[in-house]
């Protein structure tokens, strides 16, 4: 079919790469192994990682790759999807380990680009070009989320107290200014 090639094996040994079209093969002797040349989407399962500040998070990614050399892709590695998936998982752990927890939430795009750059070289040996890596989700553990919510609630309470005290201070200043103005007006009226 269009978008794929077939690797012709004779007695289990590579013989030729067959482009799309009509080809003859010897029954029982030749075997054609299909290899897609289209872009492949690989969803990696969530990976447990530890950030630089020792916060446990779970991260998963989607990897888009394309086979540029079907011979290397078929014979260079036993299970291509498993190899790419494991490589992505280890790189995710490594890169998230360099970031602090707060930075992981805002650095999703940069993290994807760093992963893309770091995955190019190892996958070249398998005849694969990584075209895109997208971090789907970075989720801290429940206890970290609870702590973050408590910190945000404390910040909101702090801001509310500050605003209330500033309001009271302005109210007191306004009352004092009004009393001073009234005293000045009474003194002028008494003249």
């Amino acid at each position: 079919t269009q978008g794929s090639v077939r690797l012709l094996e004779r007695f289990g040994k590579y013989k030729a790469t067959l482009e799309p079209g009509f080809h003859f093969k010897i029954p029982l002797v030749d075997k054609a192994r299909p290899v897609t040349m289209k872009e492949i989407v690989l969803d990696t399962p969530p990976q447990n990682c530890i950030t630089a500040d020792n916060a446990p998070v779970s991260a998963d990614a989607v990897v888009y790759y394309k086979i540029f050399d079907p011979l290397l892709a078929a014979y260079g590695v036993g299970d291509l999807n498993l190899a790419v998936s494991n490589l992505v998982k280890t790189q995710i752990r490594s890169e998230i380990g360099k970031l602090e927890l707060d930075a992981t939430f805002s650095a999703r795009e940069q993290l994807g680009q760093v992963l893309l750059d770091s995955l190019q070289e190892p996958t070249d040996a398998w005849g694969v070009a990584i075209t895109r890596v997208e971090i789907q989700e970075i989720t801290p553990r429940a206890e970290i989320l609870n702590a973050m919510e408590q910190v945000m609630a404390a910040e909101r309470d702090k801001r509310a107290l500050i605003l209330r005290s500033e309001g009271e201070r302005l109210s007191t200043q306004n009352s004092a200014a009004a009393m001073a103005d009234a005293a000045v007006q009474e003194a002028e009226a008494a003249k």
Side-chain angles (χ1 to χ4, degrees):
T1 63
Q2 189 171 351
S4 68
V5 297
R6 294 188 177 272
L7 301 178
L8 183 66
E9 297 174 345
R10 183 161 291 159
F11 296 114
K13 185 177 178 185
Y14 172 77
K15 173 108 173 106
T17 301
L18 306 176
E19 297 294 327
F22 191 72
H23 301 281
F24 291 102
K25 63 180 191 168
I26 303 169
L28 303 173
V29 173
D30 289 343
K31 178 181 160 193
R33 178 196 285 203
V35 176
T36 185
M37 300 301 283
K38 298 176 186 174
E39 189 170 56
I40 299 166
V41 179
L42 180 64
D43 188 8
T44 61
Q47 183 65 33
N48 291 327
C49 310
I50 305 227
T51 62
D53 52 353
N54 291 325
V57 295
S58 175
D60 66 341
V62 177
V63 180
Y64 299 85
Y65 68 91
K66 198 169 188 171
I67 295 173
F68 65 84
D69 186 338
L71 193 61
L72 285 174
Y75 302 115
V77 65
D79 185 345
L80 184 61
N81 281 341
L82 180 64
V84 171
S85 177
N86 285 339
L87 188 60
V88 168
K89 286 190 236 178
T90 58
Q91 289 297 327
I92 286 174
R93 272 187 301 216
S94 172
E95 294 304 324
I96 287 182
K98 295 175 186 174
L99 300 173
E100 295 201 1
L101 179 63
D102 293 338
T104 59
F105 301 121
S106 60
R108 198 175 287 200
E109 283 183 29
Q110 293 134 346
L111 191 58
Q113 185 60 45
V114 168
L115 287 170
L116 178 65
D117 295 341
S118 65
L119 293 171
Q120 290 297 349
E121 187 180 338
T123 56
D124 283 347
W126 303 331
V128 171
I130 305 291
T131 56
R132 208 166 59 227
V133 179
E134 296 198 12
I135 304 295
Q136 280 185 318
E137 192 172 15
I138 298 175
T139 311
R141 290 214 179 131
E143 61 268 11
I144 302 271
L145 282 175
N146 289 338
M148 290 171 71
E149 288 172 3
Q150 288 174 354
V151 167
M152 287 190 297
E155 280 291 322
R156 281 192 300 271
D157 292 344
K158 176 182 163 188
R159 279 193 298 252
L161 286 173
I162 290 171
L163 288 174
R164 190 175 304 120
S165 70
E166 285 179 356
E168 290 172 359
R169 182 176 54 103
L170 285 174
S171 174
T172 305
Q173 286 175 348
N174 287 342
S175 295
M179 289 161 105
D181 287 343
V184 168
Q185 286 176 359
E186 278 182 32
E188 286 180 7
K191 286 185 185 181

